Amino acid sequence: MAPKDPAADAQSLIEARFAAQKIAFGPIIFQAARLLRDLGILEALRAAHAGLTLEEITAKVATPRYGVLVLLEAGLAADMVRAAGERFLLTKTGACVLRDDLTRINMDFVHHGCFQAMYYLEDSIRDAKPAGLHKVFGDWDTIYPALPTLPEPARASWFRWDHYYSDASFPHALPIVFERPHRTLLDVGGNTGKWAIQCAQYSKEVAVTILDLPGQVAVARHNVAALGLQARISIQAADLLDHSRPFPTGFDAIWMSQFLVCFAEGDVRRLLERAAAAMGPHSRLYILDTFWDRQDHQISAYCLQAISLYFTCLANGCSRMYKASDIAAMAEAAGLQVERVTGTLGICSSLMVCRRR
């Protein structure tokens, strides 16, 4: 008989059942946490270091006493508040829900963008199509062409979530990219133009071309024009999944930020093949992404593994948050060689640098 793994027995049955109940009631507790935040209850407690009674809290918020009570008791279950006699006090978890940017952005993204859609996760998994997107936001093939027309606040929450992860890493990625004297850079999947604009501001010599879907490049074109950078940032609309269309050539660098996670493995391979075909012997491909197998903290891996289900149910029905080892293997198969993968940039991103083999 094989020896028992000590780690496998570390959790008692009671602890396991408690963890399972947290999962069972997770959607309910999530909504209670959001309302504790949005109705001002957590903020009222934050300002009262000695805590507040139920009546004192009710007097400070525009919510009936009954509603405040049931939310507070849910907050006790979620360890967002604690009770000391008749007084309620804010915990560290409650403070994170109230003030932590990562928590707020993730919660808003889940509530406004994902919560209703996740009811159709099983359909998405069975059919490999974004059933949640179809049921909640309309009959789109993927979420990307729908982004400019998503209803508010779903649209704003999506962009805050998307930019939060990338924006924190851009300042760290810029000096790595421009270690080499790049004069031309192709930004594949350039979204709203944030990276292209930062490149043009960082290096006065680089010219950037953004390649993205028609709806996205319209937003990028507006942002570039607002800063008067049209002379150094050009924009091309393209169906990026038309694999018969090669990428434009002659660029020193090709950039993909939070891009490959938007596609199924077959499309990722073809996109990397098109990138390799467009590269010269001295070109470099830079892939910035939130690889869940390269995280310094369990919290990051947890968030990224959960986000994979957004891709399943809403984004496209076929992609996920890839491991760095997944992308490296596909890059090698596409005729590329991975030169380097950086440590954590910003919140949880890594930069994979490839050249043509």
Side-chain angles (χ1 to χ4, degrees):
M1 179 181 294
K4 289 186 177 180
D5 177 2
D9 293 333
Q11 188 181 45
S12 70
L13 177 59
I14 292 295
E15 290 170 335
R17 291 190 80 187
F18 187 24
Q21 303 325 299
K22 291 180 181 179
I23 294 170
F25 288 96
I28 296 173
I29 293 297
F30 172 88
Q31 290 296 352
R34 183 184 65 82
L35 289 173
L36 282 164
R37 183 195 71 179
D38 292 352
L39 296 179
I41 296 170
L42 296 183
E43 184 61 43
L45 292 175
R46 189 193 70 84
H49 298 298
L52 296 170
T53 66
L54 173 60
E55 284 68 27
E56 289 170 337
I57 298 170
T58 302
K60 292 178 179 293
V61 299
T63 303
R65 181 182 186 278
Y66 166 79
V68 174
L69 175 59
V70 294
L71 289 174
L72 284 170
E73 290 178 344
L76 290 172
D79 192 34
M80 294 174 57
V81 300
R82 63 183 178 88
E86 296 299 314
R87 308 185 78 78
F88 294 91
L89 296 98
L90 188 67
T91 66
K92 289 181 180 178
T93 300
C96 285
V97 170
L98 178 63
R99 289 298 179 94
D100 177 60
D101 285 342
L102 173 65
T103 306
R104 174 173 288 274
I105 286 168
N106 281 339
M107 285 186 72
D108 287 348
F109 168 69
V110 169
H111 176 64
H112 298 135
C114 302
F115 201 89
Q116 288 179 285
M118 283 296 156
Y119 186 82
Y120 305 98
L121 178 61
E122 183 176 350
D123 294 338
S124 301
I125 288 173
R126 290 186 185 279
D127 300 333
K129 293 181 180 179
L133 174 67
H134 302 159
K135 296 288 187 179
V136 178
F137 295 114
D139 193 20
W140 301 87
D141 290 336
T142 71
I143 200 170
Y144 306 108
L147 288 173
T149 59
L150 284 182
E152 295 293 0
R155 181 182 179 277
S157 292
W158 190 95
F159 278 105
R160 276 196 300 269
W161 169 76
D162 182 68
H163 289 163
Y164 180 76
Y165 288 94
S166 60
D167 287 1
S169 59
F170 283 175
H172 303 281
L174 283 165
I176 297 171
V177 171
F178 287 99
E179 287 174 351
R180 301 178 65 85
H182 298 311
R183 298 296 185 93
T184 55
L185 183 145
L186 178 65
D187 185 358
V188 181
N191 206 328
T192 59
K194 281 203 169 187
W195 170 255
I197 289 167
Q198 291 195 34
C199 285
Q201 293 171 334
Y202 186 87
S203 169
K204 301 304 180 184
E205 298 177 343
V206 72
V208 183
T209 298
I210 295 174
L211 200 63
D212 211 332
L213 297 167
Q216 291 302 96
V217 299
V219 178
R221 193 170 280 119
H222 170 80
N223 292 339
V224 169
L227 294 170
L229 292 170
Q230 304 95 312
R232 295 176 53 219
I233 301 177
S234 61
I235 300 171
Q236 296 182 24
D239 178 357
L240 297 172
L241 290 184
D242 180 357
H243 297 307
S244 67
R245 177 175 176 172
F247 287 162
T249 58
F251 290 90
D252 299 329
I254 299 177
W255 172 264
M256 297 176 176
S257 171
Q258 293 180 197
F259 175 69
L260 295 178
V261 294
C262 301
F263 305 101
E265 286 189 20
D267 289 316
V268 172
R269 293 189 191 99
R270 297 296 300 277
L271 288 162
L272 290 170
E273 288 170 359
R274 288 159 67 191
M279 293 168 66
H282 303 294
S283 303
R284 293 296 184 272
L285 169 64
Y286 298 90
I287 301 169
L288 182 75
D289 230 312
T290 50
F291 306 116
W292 69 257
D293 60 337
R294 293 188 59 84
Q295 298 306 311
D296 297 328
H297 304 287
Q298 184 180 3
I299 182 174
S300 299
Y302 176 89
C303 292
L304 296 171
Q305 289 162 342
I307 286 170
S308 272
L309 297 176
Y310 147 77
F311 289 100
T312 305
C313 195
L314 271 158
N316 50 47
C318 58
S319 73
R320 66 183 192 276
M321 300 302 294
Y322 290 105
K323 297 183 291 184
S325 57
D326 294 331
I327 299 299
M330 287 187 272
E332 295 283 345
L336 297 164
Q337 180 177 335
V338 178
E339 285 189 331
R340 172 186 181 189
V341 184
T342 70
T344 303
L345 305 181
I347 298 168
C348 57
S349 296
S350 298
L351 185 63
M352 183 179 291
V353 185
C354 304
R355 64 177 177 85
R356 198 172 73 181
R357 198 166 59 241

